[in-house]
Amino acid sequence: GAVVSQHPSWVICKSGTSVKIECRSLDFQATTMFWYRQFPKQSLMLMATSNEGSKATYEQGVEKDKFLINHASLTLSTLTVTSAHPEDSSFYICSARDFLSTDTQYFGPGTRLTVL
Amino acid sequence: AQSVTQLDSQVPVFEEAPVELRCNYSSSVSVYLFWYVQYPNQGLQLLLKYLSGSTLVKGINGFEAEFNKSQTSFHLRKPSVHISDTAEYFCAVFNDYKLSFGAGTTVTVRA
């Protein structure tokens, strides 16, 4: 099956620094990638949708200047949490969809971000 | 707009017993429905999906779900659970090229 990887799997940073999370589709071309945020014991909340080569579409309430998304190639999308604060601590999960399957998303293993 | 309601937040169950996880959705249009499983500190894995056709859908790990349009439900079942089925389960509806997730159901399987 299709595999999506995320790097790093966990990261701890100081308040005020920026953190970049990578999401890669390993064996397929992902025309669309999604970024989700998950708080403990809660569901996944969609943050943004990114299509390769174009600007990401952010969900209502998500600060686009805070959470920078780049989808420069068909196999890589990055999420940069800028000037991170403790309230940004969360589990970030990406998913990817290839152009052949509009309904199925393949999820990455997630990145645990802790901001001190 | 789509919404998904998972009626049970936690379901404790004994090993080898059956389990049913309830999911209801609201939609004014045809929907695609999914069940995902999340093991601790991991991403989501697709269990099964309903797109069209037979309302009884079989998935991985012995799970199955039944789409009921009149009751707008998509309940997940497994006739005999294992300890390894302990996980978080999410029901999701797909529309407008996006997934909307329910709040999740925590299944804890005890020996």
Side-chain angles (χ1 to χ4, degrees):
Chain A
V3 178
V4 175
S5 70
Q6 278 184 244
H7 179 80
S9 56
W10 59 270
V11 57
I12 301 172
C13 69
K14 292 182 178 180
S15 186
T17 60
S18 295
V19 175
K20 179 184 285 189
I21 302 170
E22 292 186 349
C23 176
R24 293 182 184 272
S25 57
L26 299 185
D27 50 3
F28 67 100
Q29 293 184 326
T31 51
T32 305
M33 286 186 169
F34 303 85
W35 285 96
Y36 296 86
R37 183 173 181 178
Q38 185 181 31
F39 291 102
K41 305 293 184 183
Q42 294 188 31
S43 188
L44 281 73
M45 301 299 295
L46 180 64
M47 298 174 67
T49 302
S50 73
N51 292 299
E52 185 264 337
S54 61
K55 289 184 178 180
T57 302
Y58 290 81
E59 296 298 301
Q60 192 172 7
V62 178
E63 299 175 59
K64 58 183 67 176
D65 295 331
K66 174 76 170 176
F67 300 99
L68 300 178
I69 292 172
N70 184 283
H71 191 167
S73 77
L74 286 172
T75 59
L76 173 65
S77 176
T78 60
L79 167 68
T80 301
V81 183
T82 61
S83 187
H85 291 284
E87 57 266 29
D88 299 324
S89 298
S90 191
F91 195 51
Y92 292 88
I93 302 175
C94 75
S95 71
R97 185 177 70 209
D98 69 35
F99 70 98
L100 293 176
S101 176
T102 58
D103 57 81
T104 300
Q105 294 180 25
Y106 303 97
F107 286 80
T111 296
R112 174 77 58 194
L113 170 63
T114 302
V115 184
L116 303 176
Chain B
Q2 315 292 323
S3 72
V4 180
T5 303
Q6 290 184 242
L7 299 166
D8 309 291
S9 59
Q10 297 197 33
V11 174
V13 58
F14 286 106
E15 192 175 20
E16 297 183 7
V19 70
E20 178 181 79
L21 308 183
R22 296 179 293 170
C23 172
N24 285 91
Y25 67 93
S26 66
S27 172
S28 58
V29 297
S30 297
V31 295
Y32 297 162
L33 294 159
F34 299 75
W35 274 100
Y36 286 88
V37 60
Q38 184 181 32
Y39 299 103
N41 296 311
Q42 294 186 29
L44 273 66
Q45 181 180 358
L46 179 65
L47 279 177
L48 48 79
K49 63 182 177 182
Y50 171 79
L51 304 181
S52 64
S54 173
T55 57
L56 183 63
V57 181
K58 292 189 183 296
I60 63 171
N61 300 343
F63 284 93
E64 64 179 32
E66 185 157 16
F67 170 64
N68 188 317
K69 187 175 182 179
S70 63
Q71 297 185 10
T72 60
S73 67
F74 191 54
H75 300 335
L76 180 71
R77 302 184 184 95
K78 184 170 181 176
S80 176
V81 296
H82 302 289
I83 298 289
S84 59
D85 291 322
T86 294
E88 190 80 12
Y89 292 80
F90 292 97
C91 182
V93 61
F94 178 84
N95 184 257
D96 194 23
Y97 300 102
K98 295 187 291 188
L99 283 171
S100 296
F101 289 89
T105 298
T106 303
V107 173
T108 305
V109 181
R110 299 189 175 103

